[in-house]
Structure formats: C-alpha cells, structure tokens
Amino acid sequence: MGQYRKVPIPILETARLVLRPYRIEDAPRVQELFPNPNVVRYLASIIPWPYPADGADAYIASILPKIEAQEEYHWAILRRGHEDEGLIGAIGLTPASDTDNRGFWLAEPYWGKGYMSEATTAVNKFAFDVLGMEFLLLNNAEPNLASHRLKEVVGAEIIGVEDQDFVTGRFPKLTAEAWRKHRSG
C-alpha cells in the first residue's frame, strides 16, 4: 500500500453525524447492535459468528493500540444532537492494508437514511486530504447492492471481482482524482 501521513485520529463532523474515535465504553452498545444477521451477513468471514458475548470488548481492545499508533483509524458513528443514545454504527480506515482500506457497519434501524453516505464522504475526505492517500481499495460482497451503490455514489470504480473467504466480493478502486472530480461536479 502507498505511503500516508500519520496523524492523530480526529473527530469528524457532518450535517447530521459526529464520528469520534472508538473507545472501550462503546463495547456494550456495539454488543447490542452489531450481532444482527442482517448487519453482519455481508462482512468479512473474519467476524466470528455467532458473535461471542465478549466480541465487542475484544474487538475494540484490539484496535485501540492501532489507533494510538496512527496505523488505523476507527470511528463510532453518532447522530448529532443524539450522542447520548450511543453509536449507531462504525467506520474504519486502514491505510496500510493492500486489500481493503475502509469498512463500516450500520445498525439496521438506521438504514436508508443517508447516514453512511455522510460518514463515508467524511472519511474519504480525511483519507485523501489529510492522510494524503492516493486511492482507496474497497471490498464489497457482490450481493450487497446497497453498499455497492454507496461506493458508486462517491465515485468508486470496480477493478475486479473474486471469491474471498466464502464471500464473493467486488474490489472498487477509488482514486483521489476521481473522488475530487465527483465532489466538485
């Protein structure tokens, strides 16, 4: 993967969302919302299923050192003005990965409201404008049409299709140039 600037993880804000760094206190809310078959069915098979009772604690504990080392960036997605309800999903950026740079999930009650479009736009802007990444590699399970459409809306291009860990995935390559052209047009 290409070079990127290492910077502390910031809080990102959109019109309706606050993306703040994950913290261990998010684990109970993740454990409540994430282990939903509709939420996890298109995620990488590395996700344990059935999701263990300590899954959220273990996952968040494993990424906090990577966030601190500025190797990965993981945000809790909260609705602006409703931060006290806790996160509604999460989005992560792994700049050094050579297979998948960004992943996300959103709790089912919040689907279809444009929240993930806002979150991915904010994270793309951070990746390109702050970290200086030249492109993003993005996985997408082929049957996950909503995620595929979201990637197309922000300017991603399909560069290949292959089987990966029992999930057929699409791997769009979103270049900084294409993304900036999409944002300005």
Side-chain angles (χ1 to χ4, degrees):
M1 192 66 207
Q3 295 293 318
Y4 67 97
R5 286 187 283 281
K6 291 186 174 188
V7 300
I9 186 171
I11 294 173
L12 303 175
E13 297 188 26
T14 72
R16 300 180 299 156
L17 301 174
V18 175
L19 282 63
R20 64 147 171 78
Y22 248 137
R23 26 185 212 229
I24 199 67
E25 295 83 16
D26 292 321
R29 181 77 169 160
V30 172
Q31 196 68 41
E32 172 190 345
L33 298 175
F34 182 73
N36 172 335
N38 292 330
V39 170
V40 302
R41 69 181 167 178
Y42 294 128
L43 298 181
S45 65
I46 193 168
I47 304 294
W49 193 258
Y51 201 62
D54 68 343
D57 283 313
Y59 173 70
I60 294 173
S62 76
I63 63 170
L64 290 177
K66 296 172 187 174
I67 293 171
E68 183 66 29
Q70 301 169 9
E71 295 169 354
E72 295 184 8
Y73 302 86
H74 297 271
W75 293 270
I77 301 170
L78 299 103
R79 293 188 313 143
R80 180 187 295 282
H82 301 276
E83 291 90 346
D84 59 332
E85 80 179 351
L87 63 80
I88 63 169
I91 187 165
L93 184 65
T94 54
S97 173
D98 60 2
T99 59
D100 193 8
N101 299 130
R102 193 191 67 216
F104 53 76
W105 67 271
L106 189 66
E108 192 171 10
Y110 304 96
W111 291 1
K113 298 175 180 3
Y115 292 135
M116 198 50 73
S117 181
E118 283 186 42
T120 58
T121 298
V123 170
N124 290 355
K125 182 173 175 39
F126 174 75
F128 295 136
D129 295 346
V130 178
L131 298 184
M133 294 177 67
E134 288 300 314
F135 59 87
L136 293 175
L137 292 172
L138 309 169
N139 283 337
N140 195 103
E142 192 168 32
N144 190 347
L145 299 179
S147 184
H148 178 70
R149 279 191 302 271
L150 174 63
K151 289 173 176 84
E152 285 181 334
V153 163
V154 297
E157 303 166 9
I158 296 172
I159 61 170
V161 178
E162 64 183 50
D163 290 339
Q164 178 185 348
D165 298 330
F166 310 110
V167 177
T168 300
R170 290 184 181 249
F171 299 88
K173 179 179 179 181
L174 176 59
T175 65
E177 180 182 342
W179 184 78
R180 287 187 181 108
K181 181 179 177 185
H182 171 78
R183 294 297 298 159
S184 66

